[in-house]
């Protein structure tokens, strides 16, 4: 009888896109199951609720003029988990500070320094005429071919 009940619970969970392991308390792959629950059960439900609230609360003209309901919190990533990736994207001039904030679910600051792009891990400005930027930067050391420094690899 217990196996039939468990199978019934599993079937209902799968219909609702809930990983059965979360319902049974299995600790194996808990973070993957939790992410699947958020991605395939909660997020679609959240979007349906958001869309319905927008349809009920605002006229089409109001919606096109920017009035809308936005549900936040579920889509926010743990910034500690993605800090290294964000750092690399900023250092490679793929993102500026405000774009990185937008990806993480935070509002842009609008500050001028958050609009700048930075090159290398020293976070120097990528702008050609920015303050403190040496426009004659070269890669490597000045003495990289100097045999006395141990760089002769022949």
């Amino acid at each position: 009888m217990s196996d039939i009940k468990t199978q019934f619970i599993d079937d209902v969970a799968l219909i609702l896109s809930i990983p059965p392991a979360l319902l049974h308390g299995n600790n194996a792959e808990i973070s993957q199951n939790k992410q699947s629950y958020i991605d395939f059960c909660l997020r679609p439900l959240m979007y349906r609720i958001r869309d319905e609230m927008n349809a009920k609360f605002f006229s089409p003209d109001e919606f096109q003029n920017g009035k809308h309901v936005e549900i936040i919190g579920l889509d926010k990533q743990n910034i500690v988990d993605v800090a290294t990736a964000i750092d690399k994207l900023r250092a490679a001039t793929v993102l500026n500070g405000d774009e990185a904030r937008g990806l993480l679910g935070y509002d842009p600051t609008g500050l001028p320094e958050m609009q700048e792009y930075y090159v290398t891990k020293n976070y120097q400005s990528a702008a050609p005429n920015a303050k403190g930027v040496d426009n004659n930067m070269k890669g490597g050391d000045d003495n990289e071919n100097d045999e006395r420094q141990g760089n002769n690899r022949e």
Side-chain angles (χ1 to χ4, degrees):
M1 184 73 168
S2 178
D3 289 337
I4 294 172
K5 184 178 178 182
T6 302
Q7 185 59 44
F8 179 71
I9 291 171
D10 290 352
D11 289 345
V12 171
L14 290 173
I15 290 169
L16 297 173
S17 300
I18 300 171
L22 283 178
L23 296 177
H24 298 300
N26 298 345
N27 287 332
E29 301 174 358
I30 188 96
S31 70
Q32 182 180 359
N33 287 328
K34 181 181 170 188
Q35 192 61 45
S36 293
Y37 174 62
I38 290 170
D39 289 342
F40 302 116
C41 183
L42 292 182
R43 189 167 285 128
L45 183 60
M46 176 189 72
Y47 290 149
R48 282 185 159 201
I49 291 170
R50 180 202 61 196
D51 292 345
E52 195 60 33
M53 290 175 76
N54 282 325
K56 298 292 185 208
F57 295 154
F58 304 109
S59 69
D61 290 334
E62 288 175 320
F63 185 78
Q64 287 180 347
N65 289 330
K67 287 190 175 186
H68 64 278
V69 172
E70 186 174 338
I71 299 175
I72 58 171
L74 188 62
D75 290 336
K76 286 203 176 183
Q77 298 176 358
N78 182 345
I79 60 173
V80 175
D81 291 343
V82 297
T84 302
I86 293 291
D87 181 51
K88 288 182 180 189
L89 290 171
R90 288 213 60 205
T93 68
V94 174
L95 298 174
N96 66 31
D98 277 344
E99 290 169 338
R101 290 179 59 85
L103 284 177
L104 294 171
Y106 295 100
D107 291 332
T109 63
L111 297 172
E113 56 268 19
M114 293 295 279
Q115 304 301 317
E116 290 186 22
Y117 290 88
Y118 293 96
V119 178
T120 76
K121 64 183 178 181
N122 296 332
Y123 291 109
Q124 295 177 344
S125 177
N129 296 320
K131 259 191 207 176
V133 173
D134 180 9
N135 291 326
N136 297 319
M137 291 190 326
K138 301 175 189 170
D141 296 330
D142 289 336
N143 59 358
E144 68 182 355
N145 292 323
D146 190 350
E147 290 181 25
R148 289 174 286 156
Q149 297 295 323
N151 288 330
N152 187 4
R153 294 191 170 91
E154 290 182 19

